[in-house]
mmCIF file of all heavy atoms in Angstrom:
data_model
loop_
_atom_site.group_PDB
_atom_site.id
_atom_site.type_symbol
_atom_site.label_atom_id
_atom_site.label_comp_id
_atom_site.label_asym_id
_atom_site.label_seq_id
_atom_site.Cartn_x
_atom_site.Cartn_y
_atom_site.Cartn_z
ATOM 1 N N ASN T 204 73.275 -225.446 186.309
ATOM 2 C CA ASN T 204 74.002 -225.945 187.362
ATOM 3 C C ASN T 204 73.522 -227.334 187.874
ATOM 4 O O ASN T 204 73.610 -227.655 189.063
ATOM 5 C CB ASN T 204 73.888 -224.980 188.651
ATOM 6 C CG ASN T 204 74.706 -223.668 188.318
ATOM 7 O OD1 ASN T 204 75.536 -223.709 187.426
ATOM 8 N ND2 ASN T 204 74.184 -222.611 188.926
ATOM 9 N N TRP T 205 73.139 -228.139 186.865
ATOM 10 C CA TRP T 205 72.662 -229.494 187.176
ATOM 11 C C TRP T 205 73.843 -230.433 186.879
ATOM 12 O O TRP T 205 74.133 -230.616 185.717
ATOM 13 C CB TRP T 205 71.501 -229.806 186.481
ATOM 14 C CG TRP T 205 71.030 -231.294 186.529
ATOM 15 C CD1 TRP T 205 71.518 -232.421 185.727
ATOM 16 C CD2 TRP T 205 70.278 -231.994 187.571
ATOM 17 N NE1 TRP T 205 71.047 -233.649 186.209
ATOM 18 C CE2 TRP T 205 70.314 -233.472 187.410
ATOM 19 C CE3 TRP T 205 69.629 -231.474 188.750
ATOM 20 C CZ2 TRP T 205 69.566 -234.223 188.153
ATOM 21 C CZ3 TRP T 205 69.018 -232.332 189.567
ATOM 22 C CH2 TRP T 205 68.941 -233.628 189.377
ATOM 23 N N LYS T 206 74.557 -230.891 187.897
ATOM 24 C CA LYS T 206 75.715 -231.903 187.740
ATOM 25 C C LYS T 206 76.614 -231.463 186.704
ATOM 26 O O LYS T 206 77.362 -230.355 186.906
ATOM 27 C CB LYS T 206 75.111 -233.276 187.547
ATOM 28 C CG LYS T 206 74.235 -233.742 188.655
ATOM 29 C CD LYS T 206 73.864 -235.142 188.530
ATOM 30 C CE LYS T 206 73.029 -235.776 189.670
ATOM 31 N NZ LYS T 206 72.676 -237.093 189.689
ATOM 32 N N ASP T 234 69.169 -238.425 184.638
ATOM 33 C CA ASP T 234 68.838 -238.393 185.984
ATOM 34 C C ASP T 234 67.927 -237.196 186.181
ATOM 35 O O ASP T 234 67.241 -237.106 187.212
ATOM 36 C CB ASP T 234 69.960 -238.269 186.750
ATOM 37 C CG ASP T 234 69.708 -238.694 188.321
ATOM 38 O OD1 ASP T 234 68.881 -239.516 188.585
ATOM 39 O OD2 ASP T 234 70.234 -237.838 189.148
ATOM 40 N N PHE T 238 64.855 -237.542 188.693
ATOM 41 C CA PHE T 238 64.786 -236.623 189.847
ATOM 42 C C PHE T 238 63.412 -236.017 189.822
ATOM 43 O O PHE T 238 62.804 -236.030 190.974
ATOM 44 C CB PHE T 238 65.815 -235.464 189.561
ATOM 45 C CG PHE T 238 65.622 -234.389 190.531
ATOM 46 C CD1 PHE T 238 66.016 -234.485 191.969
ATOM 47 C CD2 PHE T 238 65.012 -233.138 190.307
ATOM 48 C CE1 PHE T 238 65.959 -233.559 192.817
ATOM 49 C CE2 PHE T 238 64.951 -232.057 191.215
ATOM 50 C CZ PHE T 238 65.362 -232.199 192.479
ATOM 51 N N LEU T 247 60.845 -233.536 197.713
ATOM 52 C CA LEU T 247 62.124 -232.869 197.360
ATOM 53 C C LEU T 247 63.251 -233.360 198.288
ATOM 54 O O LEU T 247 64.335 -233.519 197.747
ATOM 55 C CB LEU T 247 61.956 -231.347 197.439
ATOM 56 C CG LEU T 247 63.238 -230.459 197.136
ATOM 57 C CD1 LEU T 247 63.654 -230.724 195.780
ATOM 58 C CD2 LEU T 247 62.848 -229.026 197.494
ATOM 59 N N ASN T 248 62.966 -233.421 199.575
ATOM 60 C CA ASN T 248 64.065 -233.689 200.566
ATOM 61 C C ASN T 248 64.579 -235.052 200.152
ATOM 62 O O ASN T 248 65.886 -235.238 199.963
ATOM 63 C CB ASN T 248 63.511 -233.726 201.894
ATOM 64 C CG ASN T 248 64.729 -233.776 202.894
ATOM 65 O OD1 ASN T 248 65.504 -232.884 203.012
ATOM 66 N ND2 ASN T 248 64.751 -234.903 203.614
ATOM 67 N N ARG T 249 63.816 -236.059 199.962
ATOM 68 C CA ARG T 249 64.247 -237.337 199.681
ATOM 69 C C ARG T 249 64.942 -237.488 198.266
ATOM 70 O O ARG T 249 65.935 -238.129 198.204
ATOM 71 C CB ARG T 249 63.087 -238.383 199.739
ATOM 72 C CG ARG T 249 63.387 -239.798 199.366
ATOM 73 C CD ARG T 249 64.399 -240.344 200.323
ATOM 74 N NE ARG T 249 64.694 -241.639 200.038
ATOM 75 C CZ ARG T 249 65.772 -242.499 200.575
ATOM 76 N NH1 ARG T 249 66.709 -241.772 201.401
ATOM 77 N NH2 ARG T 249 65.949 -243.636 200.281
ATOM 78 N N ALA T 250 64.419 -236.842 197.249
ATOM 79 C CA ALA T 250 65.094 -236.826 195.930
ATOM 80 C C ALA T 250 66.424 -236.185 195.965
ATOM 81 O O ALA T 250 67.347 -236.660 195.250
ATOM 82 C CB ALA T 250 64.139 -236.047 194.949
ATOM 83 N N VAL T 251 66.566 -235.189 196.865
ATOM 84 C CA VAL T 251 67.973 -234.570 196.944
ATOM 85 C C VAL T 251 68.784 -235.481 197.701
ATOM 86 O O VAL T 251 70.118 -235.614 197.515
ATOM 87 C CB VAL T 251 67.853 -233.225 197.435
ATOM 88 C CG1 VAL T 251 69.166 -232.683 197.825
ATOM 89 C CG2 VAL T 251 67.181 -232.103 196.577
ATOM 90 N N GLU T 252 68.320 -236.029 198.875
ATOM 91 C CA GLU T 252 69.167 -236.898 199.864
ATOM 92 C C GLU T 252 69.774 -238.009 199.082
ATOM 93 O O GLU T 252 70.998 -238.390 199.267
ATOM 94 C CB GLU T 252 68.275 -237.229 200.912
ATOM 95 C CG GLU T 252 68.964 -238.177 201.943
ATOM 96 C CD GLU T 252 68.052 -238.596 203.020
ATOM 97 O OE1 GLU T 252 66.803 -238.767 202.849
ATOM 98 O OE2 GLU T 252 68.535 -239.108 204.107
ATOM 99 N N VAL T 253 68.932 -238.780 198.310
ATOM 100 C CA VAL T 253 69.460 -239.987 197.621
ATOM 101 C C VAL T 253 70.525 -239.562 196.530
ATOM 102 O O VAL T 253 71.282 -240.490 196.155
ATOM 103 C CB VAL T 253 68.385 -240.770 196.991
ATOM 104 C CG1 VAL T 253 67.381 -241.205 197.956
ATOM 105 C CG2 VAL T 253 67.727 -239.998 195.843
ATOM 106 N N ARG T 254 70.662 -238.408 196.256
ATOM 107 C CA ARG T 254 71.655 -237.865 195.278
ATOM 108 C C ARG T 254 72.920 -237.288 195.976
ATOM 109 O O ARG T 254 73.704 -236.649 195.305
ATOM 110 C CB ARG T 254 71.050 -236.924 194.195
ATOM 111 C CG ARG T 254 70.183 -237.657 193.221
ATOM 112 C CD ARG T 254 69.286 -236.805 192.402
ATOM 113 N NE ARG T 254 68.561 -237.581 191.431
ATOM 114 C CZ ARG T 254 67.414 -238.303 191.689
ATOM 115 N NH1 ARG T 254 67.008 -238.333 192.972
ATOM 116 N NH2 ARG T 254 66.840 -239.094 190.788
ATOM 117 N N GLY T 255 72.887 -237.331 197.311
ATOM 118 C CA GLY T 255 74.122 -236.864 198.086
ATOM 119 C C GLY T 255 74.010 -235.421 198.523
ATOM 120 O O GLY T 255 75.031 -234.946 199.056
ATOM 121 N N GLY T 256 72.827 -234.712 198.369
ATOM 122 C CA GLY T 256 72.699 -233.444 198.864
ATOM 123 C C GLY T 256 72.851 -232.361 197.710
ATOM 124 O O GLY T 256 73.291 -232.722 196.565
ATOM 125 N N VAL T 257 72.434 -231.166 198.113
ATOM 126 C CA VAL T 257 72.543 -230.083 197.083
ATOM 127 C C VAL T 257 73.866 -229.910 196.554
ATOM 128 O O VAL T 257 74.080 -229.664 195.361
ATOM 129 C CB VAL T 257 71.920 -228.817 197.730
ATOM 130 C CG1 VAL T 257 72.271 -227.609 196.733
ATOM 131 C CG2 VAL T 257 70.522 -228.870 198.046
ATOM 132 N N SER T 258 74.869 -229.968 197.343
ATOM 133 C CA SER T 258 76.294 -229.848 196.894
ATOM 134 C C SER T 258 76.686 -230.737 195.956
ATOM 135 O O SER T 258 77.545 -230.573 195.017
ATOM 136 C CB SER T 258 77.209 -229.809 198.072
ATOM 137 O OG SER T 258 76.852 -228.624 199.016
ATOM 138 N N ALA T 259 76.315 -232.065 196.038
ATOM 139 C CA ALA T 259 76.610 -232.982 195.094
ATOM 140 C C ALA T 259 75.917 -232.895 193.777
ATOM 141 O O ALA T 259 76.473 -233.251 192.733
ATOM 142 C CB ALA T 259 76.357 -234.516 195.673
ATOM 143 N N ILE T 260 74.746 -232.193 193.761
ATOM 144 C CA ILE T 260 74.038 -232.114 192.637
ATOM 145 C C ILE T 260 74.452 -230.776 191.842
ATOM 146 O O ILE T 260 74.567 -230.879 190.452
ATOM 147 C CB ILE T 260 72.489 -231.850 192.822
ATOM 148 C CG1 ILE T 260 71.869 -233.159 193.476
ATOM 149 C CG2 ILE T 260 71.778 -231.581 191.629
ATOM 150 C CD1 ILE T 260 70.542 -233.012 193.928
ATOM 151 N N ARG T 261 74.954 -229.776 192.429
ATOM 152 C CA ARG T 261 75.328 -228.509 191.827
ATOM 153 C C ARG T 261 76.506 -228.635 191.100
ATOM 154 O O ARG T 261 77.514 -229.298 191.323
ATOM 155 C CB ARG T 261 75.646 -227.487 192.843
ATOM 156 C CG ARG T 261 75.881 -226.076 192.267
ATOM 157 C CD ARG T 261 76.370 -225.099 193.320
ATOM 158 N NE ARG T 261 75.108 -224.603 194.156
ATOM 159 C CZ ARG T 261 75.050 -224.891 195.384
ATOM 160 N NH1 ARG T 261 76.029 -225.509 196.119
ATOM 161 N NH2 ARG T 261 74.034 -224.535 196.113
ATOM 162 N N CYS T 262 76.521 -228.067 189.816
ATOM 163 C CA CYS T 262 77.544 -228.185 188.917
ATOM 164 C C CYS T 262 78.905 -227.570 189.453
ATOM 165 O O CYS T 262 78.849 -226.427 190.107
ATOM 166 C CB CYS T 262 77.181 -227.487 187.621
ATOM 167 S SG CYS T 262 78.440 -227.476 186.396
ATOM 168 N N ILE T 271 70.376 -224.298 191.554
ATOM 169 C CA ILE T 271 70.090 -225.376 190.681
ATOM 170 C C ILE T 271 68.680 -225.189 190.022
ATOM 171 O O ILE T 271 67.745 -225.117 190.706
ATOM 172 C CB ILE T 271 70.354 -226.759 191.296
ATOM 173 C CG1 ILE T 271 71.643 -226.869 191.960
ATOM 174 C CG2 ILE T 271 70.000 -227.960 190.293
ATOM 175 C CD1 ILE T 271 71.747 -228.028 192.941
ATOM 176 N N LEU T 291 66.378 -224.671 193.208
ATOM 177 C CA LEU T 291 66.509 -224.941 194.573
ATOM 178 C C LEU T 291 67.962 -224.597 195.007
ATOM 179 O O LEU T 291 68.833 -224.436 194.214
ATOM 180 C CB LEU T 291 66.229 -226.391 194.808
ATOM 181 C CG LEU T 291 67.110 -227.327 194.083
ATOM 182 C CD1 LEU T 291 67.781 -228.417 195.068
ATOM 183 C CD2 LEU T 291 66.287 -228.131 193.078
ATOM 184 N N ASN T 292 68.134 -224.531 196.266
ATOM 185 C CA ASN T 292 69.388 -224.331 196.978
ATOM 186 C C ASN T 292 69.404 -224.958 198.303
ATOM 187 O O ASN T 292 68.484 -225.889 198.378
ATOM 188 C CB ASN T 292 69.859 -222.877 197.048
ATOM 189 C CG ASN T 292 71.279 -222.601 196.947
ATOM 190 O OD1 ASN T 292 72.117 -223.272 197.593
ATOM 191 N ND2 ASN T 292 71.736 -221.732 196.061
ATOM 192 N N GLN T 293 70.283 -224.678 199.254
ATOM 193 C CA GLN T 293 70.094 -225.182 200.510
ATOM 194 C C GLN T 293 70.212 -224.125 201.672
ATOM 195 O O GLN T 293 70.764 -223.106 201.420
ATOM 196 C CB GLN T 293 71.256 -226.265 200.703
ATOM 197 C CG GLN T 293 72.639 -225.724 200.751
ATOM 198 C CD GLN T 293 73.669 -226.846 200.739
ATOM 199 O OE1 GLN T 293 73.339 -227.933 200.916
ATOM 200 N NE2 GLN T 293 74.958 -226.336 200.700
ATOM 201 N N GLN T 296 71.037 -225.487 207.445
ATOM 202 C CA GLN T 296 71.156 -226.845 207.837
ATOM 203 C C GLN T 296 71.414 -227.814 206.699
ATOM 204 O O GLN T 296 71.095 -229.024 206.814
ATOM 205 C CB GLN T 296 69.773 -227.058 208.557
ATOM 206 C CG GLN T 296 69.487 -226.098 209.698
ATOM 207 C CD GLN T 296 68.065 -226.448 210.291
ATOM 208 O OE1 GLN T 296 67.758 -227.604 210.449
ATOM 209 N NE2 GLN T 296 67.415 -225.358 210.669
ATOM 210 N N ARG T 297 71.758 -227.297 205.450
ATOM 211 C CA ARG T 297 71.910 -227.998 204.256
ATOM 212 C C ARG T 297 70.687 -228.823 203.858
ATOM 213 O O ARG T 297 70.788 -229.779 203.185
ATOM 214 C CB ARG T 297 73.117 -229.063 204.560
ATOM 215 C CG ARG T 297 74.383 -228.327 204.705
ATOM 216 C CD ARG T 297 75.489 -229.267 204.699
ATOM 217 N NE ARG T 297 76.836 -228.503 204.850
ATOM 218 C CZ ARG T 297 78.026 -229.090 204.803
ATOM 219 N NH1 ARG T 297 78.066 -230.391 204.641
ATOM 220 N NH2 ARG T 297 79.164 -228.446 204.887
ATOM 221 N N ARG T 298 69.528 -228.302 204.252
ATOM 222 C CA ARG T 298 68.261 -228.817 203.759
ATOM 223 C C ARG T 298 67.991 -228.154 202.368
ATOM 224 O O ARG T 298 68.174 -226.917 202.106
ATOM 225 C CB ARG T 298 67.028 -228.511 204.591
ATOM 226 C CG ARG T 298 67.193 -229.131 205.934
ATOM 227 C CD ARG T 298 65.940 -228.843 206.798
ATOM 228 N NE ARG T 298 65.733 -227.428 206.947
ATOM 229 C CZ ARG T 298 64.675 -226.760 207.390
ATOM 230 N NH1 ARG T 298 63.699 -227.482 207.808
ATOM 231 N NH2 ARG T 298 64.525 -225.384 207.490
ATOM 232 N N PRO T 299 67.363 -228.909 201.370
ATOM 233 C CA PRO T 299 67.035 -228.259 200.047
ATOM 234 C C PRO T 299 66.068 -227.293 200.296
ATOM 235 O O PRO T 299 64.892 -227.563 200.950
ATOM 236 C CB PRO T 299 66.556 -229.514 199.283
ATOM 237 C CG PRO T 299 66.330 -230.562 200.239
ATOM 238 C CD PRO T 299 67.202 -230.344 201.360
ATOM 239 N N ILE T 300 66.035 -226.092 199.691
ATOM 240 C CA ILE T 300 65.042 -224.954 199.829
ATOM 241 C C ILE T 300 64.668 -224.568 198.379
ATOM 242 O O ILE T 300 65.576 -224.321 197.454
ATOM 243 C CB ILE T 300 65.710 -223.913 200.582
ATOM 244 C CG1 ILE T 300 65.768 -224.284 202.141
ATOM 245 C CG2 ILE T 300 64.714 -222.663 200.566
ATOM 246 C CD1 ILE T 300 64.596 -224.484 202.934
#
Side-chain angles (χ1 to χ4, degrees):
N204 295 333
W205 173 267
K206 298 191 175 183
D234 195 42
F238 173 74
L247 177 64
N248 188 67
R249 179 60 179 165
V251 171
E252 180 185 19
V253 298
R254 288 165 175 81
V257 170
S258 297
I260 297 174
R261 184 186 289 116
C262 179
I271 300 164
L291 63 128
N292 212 313
Q293 61 185 359
Q296 302 174 45
R297 297 190 176 181
R298 297 181 305 171
I300 293 293

